[in-house]
Amino acid sequence: MHLINFKDLSGQQLMEIIDKGIDIKHNPEKYRTILDSKSLAMIFQKTSTRTRVAFEVAMTQLGGHALYIDWRTTNFALADISDETQYLSRNVDCIMARLIKNVDLQSMAKASRVPVINGCDEKYHPSQAIADLITMKEKKGTLESVKLVYIGIHNNVCNSLVEGCTKSGVKITTVTPIFNEPSRDNELLENAKKTGLWETTLDIRKAVQYADFVYTDTWIDMEFFQDSKFDAEKEKRIKLMMPYQINNELVKESNAYVMHDMPIHRGYEISADAIESPKSVIYEQSKNRLCSAKATLLKLLEKY
Ligand code: CP
């Protein structure tokens, strides 16, 4: 079993991962040696703080070992991805990869003899969504009929939230004036629509009114953030998206918790006052990447 997105997981299986994550968070000693002698290869084509740290610390705290591999310093950069994966998967027990293109991740999964975890590509960010669902369940005690409003660009994080929420009983409203076309997955959106749990609107104030959580993410994909070729698009997006910033004025009449998957661009998708307000669960949410990583690894390595 791989974790590329949530398509191959039933709602029940996803709930098992969320509940396992919460159990591991509160009872870490129960799991100290469960991955004894297991190795995880972590391959990165892009930058990361949380995904790298969460999976590496997860392996250490579960009794196993993680190898950080920068794509550019390996022969993945030179050779066929399938051949390199054939080799790699004969030496490790699991692979976590943050690749630029989902098509490459699919090739890796096809060639691998061991589970492959998507550490974020242009279409999906499933390990982030698991941490987000854990955060919501911890705060509300249940996911059933909890209301999440995602405000920003419809991107990889948004796709995984739509898929994860609609599979776990969360009502999700997306307020996304821009659709990041490389992220588009019509099948995922059609499936979400059929559940009746996903709706989309541009009426940000109405959407926020009854929200339990409001969530935002970067307006620019990480690989383009410091790319001067993307400057014009960046300016265009900032102008169009500023009215959709999460700030204290927007949530002043709401009891909603504020979420962000980080890294944060202060003053753009979210204001400093919203990040630091008592309603913010952002840092707790990022901490939950660790128990999310542990629960995902144990699921894929068939430990429950
Ligand atoms: N949210 C997230 O994936 O963080 P990193 O990009 O730092 O891994």
Side-chain angles (χ1 to χ4, degrees):
M1 185 196 224
H2 303 298
L3 185 72
I4 306 301
N5 47 44
F6 296 133
K7 280 182 192 166
D8 295 332
L9 275 186
S10 65
Q12 194 189 334
Q13 286 173 313
L14 179 57
M15 287 306 301
E16 277 169 18
I17 298 175
I18 293 161
D19 289 338
K20 182 60 77 176
I22 294 171
D23 186 57
I24 297 171
K25 182 174 173 178
H26 295 289
N27 302 289
E29 69 290 347
K30 261 172 50 185
Y31 300 92
R32 287 255 184 259
T33 57
I34 193 166
L35 293 188
D36 182 29
S37 303
K38 301 285 184 198
S39 295
L40 170 72
M42 310 192 302
I43 307 179
F44 286 87
Q45 275 184 335
K46 299 194 277 182
T47 57
S48 169
T49 307
R50 278 144 292 275
T51 306
R52 175 179 176 180
V53 170
F55 277 92
E56 186 159 343
V57 174
M59 284 304 287
T60 302
Q61 293 186 356
L62 296 172
H65 172 68
L67 303 84
Y68 171 75
I69 304 172
D70 178 344
W71 176 276
R72 291 162 303 180
T73 65
T74 68
N75 287 330
F76 272 98
L78 308 175
D80 185 276
I81 193 167
S82 298
D83 292 334
E84 291 297 285
T85 305
Q86 286 283 353
Y87 155 70
L88 186 63
S89 66
R90 283 167 166 80
N91 271 240
V92 298
D93 303 284
C94 191
I95 298 171
M96 189 277 288
R98 171 168 287 191
L99 304 188
I100 294 167
K101 291 193 179 138
N102 177 261
V103 67
D104 286 338
L105 196 76
Q106 300 281 1
S107 302
M108 186 175 266
K110 205 164 158 209
S112 178
R113 295 160 69 113
V114 300
V116 173
I117 299 169
N118 185 352
C120 186
D121 59 30
E122 87 283 22
K123 287 190 184 299
Y124 318 107
H125 198 355
S127 65
Q128 177 66 52
I130 292 169
D132 301 337
L133 291 163
I134 287 172
T135 308
M136 288 188 264
K137 183 153 187 189
E138 282 191 321
K139 286 288 165 202
K140 302 299 285 185
T142 178
L143 290 177
E144 203 55 46
S145 299
V146 165
K147 296 184 197 72
L148 172 75
V149 176
Y150 174 91
I151 302 165
I153 307 274
H154 192 118
N155 60 8
N156 46 6
V157 167
C158 183
N159 270 343
S160 288
L161 278 173
V162 167
E163 195 177 33
C165 285
T166 54
K167 283 204 166 202
S168 58
V170 174
K171 292 183 176 172
I172 177 165
T173 301
T174 53
V175 183
T176 52
I178 295 176
F179 203 111
N180 205 39
E181 283 306 323
S183 308
R184 188 172 285 283
D185 180 342
N186 287 333
E187 185 191 341
L188 180 153
L189 299 180
E190 283 306 317
N191 288 340
K193 217 178 274 175
K194 282 182 207 151
T195 66
L197 292 171
W198 172 51
E199 62 176 30
T200 186
T201 178
L202 289 182
D203 190 340
I204 183 172
R205 299 211 170 255
K206 194 166 161 210
V208 166
Q209 208 172 3
Y210 301 110
D212 296 305
F213 298 90
V214 292
Y215 190 127
T216 190
D217 182 29
T218 182
W219 293 337
I220 317 285
D221 278 0
M222 57 169 66
E223 61 268 41
F224 300 123
F225 212 86
Q226 283 159 335
D227 183 347
S228 58
K229 289 201 283 300
F230 208 74
D231 279 353
E233 179 64 21
K234 199 157 123 183
E235 284 312 308
K236 198 173 100 189
R237 286 189 179 195
I238 289 169
K239 206 165 160 200
L240 202 150
M241 293 303 297
M242 276 317 285
Y244 297 89
Q245 182 192 67
I246 292 185
N247 51 48
N248 279 356
E249 202 279 321
L250 177 69
V251 294
K252 68 175 187 282
E253 281 161 20
S254 155
N255 290 321
Y257 293 106
V258 173
M259 300 180 76
H260 190 305
D261 56 306
M262 303 181 81
I264 295 168
H265 306 96
R266 283 176 174 248
Y268 292 97
E269 71 270 11
I270 190 165
S271 65
D273 60 3
I275 298 161
E276 286 149 21
S277 89
K279 291 175 178 172
S280 169
V281 293
I282 293 170
Y283 302 130
E284 187 65 21
Q285 176 189 357
S286 62
K287 176 182 167 183
N288 285 339
R289 291 297 306 275
L290 177 58
C291 61
S292 157
K294 289 179 180 177
T296 303
L297 287 162
L298 296 189
K299 183 72 179 173
L300 296 191
L301 292 170
E302 299 179 354
K303 296 293 182 184
Y304 63 98

